[in-house]
């Protein structure tokens, strides 16, 4: 996919993986709109909730005003932790619902509204590609840890919708690809207690360090560049399998 002159929407662009992706796409020549609940440092920033049809429509309008909207990257997400049965009793159902709402419903909301617009774009050569949606799951979808039921379920849902969406949108030349990151150096991780952070940093086999947000962004660019990547989830995890 040619990024020069194309418009892109990145959700969760106010922080971490989304911020790095928005920067990298802009450097690669795309016109980028970043959407987040919090203000972002981007030239084109839209405040909004990925689970809101109105907010996502406004963000897509803003992106479409800058050029043909060929790329959407879903990075917005939350990672609440709670046990099935914790010290205060059973898992808060509202917390479970919130994780699904932001991570799964929010991702699907952006995908469906973006795909509806991409279908109307001119096809690009040589393959007739019209657009690309990149989602962000997590390796916790496959190796979720204690306390991650809500998070892991929401991310497994994102992985689950990737293939049926790619199959359906194939006739319109729209690809759907999901990245399942391992552990990355972002505010999501630095919000954890110091002891938990130290334990986490020791986990990746090789390279034996946390991923850098720029390395996630580089994966997004690689997916843009390779049209055969479609309908799949790519683990980006330094051979890490999360322990229980
Ligand atoms: N950091 C990691 O190690 C890691 C690992 C696996 C998966 N992920 C996933 O990668 C994505 C990005 O994570 P990150 O580490 O950059 O986190 P982050 O907390 O640094 O950034 C997430 C951004 O999403 C925004 N956001 C949250 N809810 C939103 C909503 N409803 N609408 C719009 N924006 C919203 C936040 O305001 C924040 O700016 C998330 O989906 C996360 O689950 C991260």
């Amino acid at each position: 996919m040619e990024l020069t002159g194309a418009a892109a929407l990145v959700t969760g662009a106010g922080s971490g993986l989304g911020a790095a992706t928005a920067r990298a796409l802009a450097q690669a020549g795309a016109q980028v709109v970043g959407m987040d609940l919090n203000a972002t440092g981007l030239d084109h920033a839209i405040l909004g909730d990925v689970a809101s049809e109105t907010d996502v429509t406004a963000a897509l309008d803003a992106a479409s005003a800058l050029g043909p909207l060929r790329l959407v990257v879903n990075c917005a997400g939350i990672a609440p932790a709670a046990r099935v049965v914790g010290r205060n009793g059973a898992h808060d159902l509202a917390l479970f619902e919130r994780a699904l709402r932001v991570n799964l419903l929010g991702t699907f909301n952006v995908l469906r509204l973006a795909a509806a617009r991409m279908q109307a774009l001119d096809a690009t050569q040589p393959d007739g590609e019209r657009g690309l949606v990149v989602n962000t799951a997590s390796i916790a979808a496959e190796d979720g840890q204690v306390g991650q039921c809500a998070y892991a379920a929401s991310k497994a849902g994102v992985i689950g919708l990737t293939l049926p969406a790619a199959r359906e949108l194939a006739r319109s030349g729209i690809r759907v690809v999901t990245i399942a990151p391992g552990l990355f150096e972002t505010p999501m991780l630095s919000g954890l207690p110091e002891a938990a952070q130290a334990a986490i940093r020791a986990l990746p086999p090789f390279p034996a360090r946390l991923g850098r947000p720029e390395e996630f962004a580089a994966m997004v660019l690689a997916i843009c560049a390779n049209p055969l990547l479609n309908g799949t989830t790519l683990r980006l995890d330094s051979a890490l399998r999360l322990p229980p």
Side-chain angles (χ1 to χ4, degrees), residues 11-19 35-38 48-51 74-79 102-103 136-140 151 155 179-189 216:
T11 73
S15 174
L17 305 185
M35 179 186 184
D36 204 294
L37 282 180
N38 300 309
D49 178 357
V50 287
N74 276 305
C75 287
I78 55 172
V102 176
N103 295 351
T136 308
S138 165
I139 60 169
Y151 184 68
K155 296 300 193 177
I179 302 171
L183 297 171
F184 279 71
E185 190 85 58
T186 72
M188 188 175 268
L189 278 196
F216 176 91

Side-chain angles (χ1 to χ4, degrees), residues 13-92:
S15 174
L17 305 185
T21 300
R23 279 195 300 272
L25 291 173
Q27 272 163 19
Q31 299 293 319
V32 183
V33 167
M35 179 186 184
D36 204 294
L37 282 180
N38 300 309
T40 80
L42 287 172
D43 290 345
H44 305 288
I46 296 281
L47 288 183
D49 178 357
V50 287
S52 153
E53 175 159 350
T54 311
D55 291 358
V56 172
T57 298
L60 291 168
D61 284 346
S64 301
L66 302 177
L69 177 72
R70 299 212 181 266
L71 175 63
V72 167
V73 185
N74 276 305
C75 287
I78 55 172
R83 289 175 179 253
V84 179
V85 184
R87 266 189 222 109
N88 300 322
H91 195 297
D92 179 4

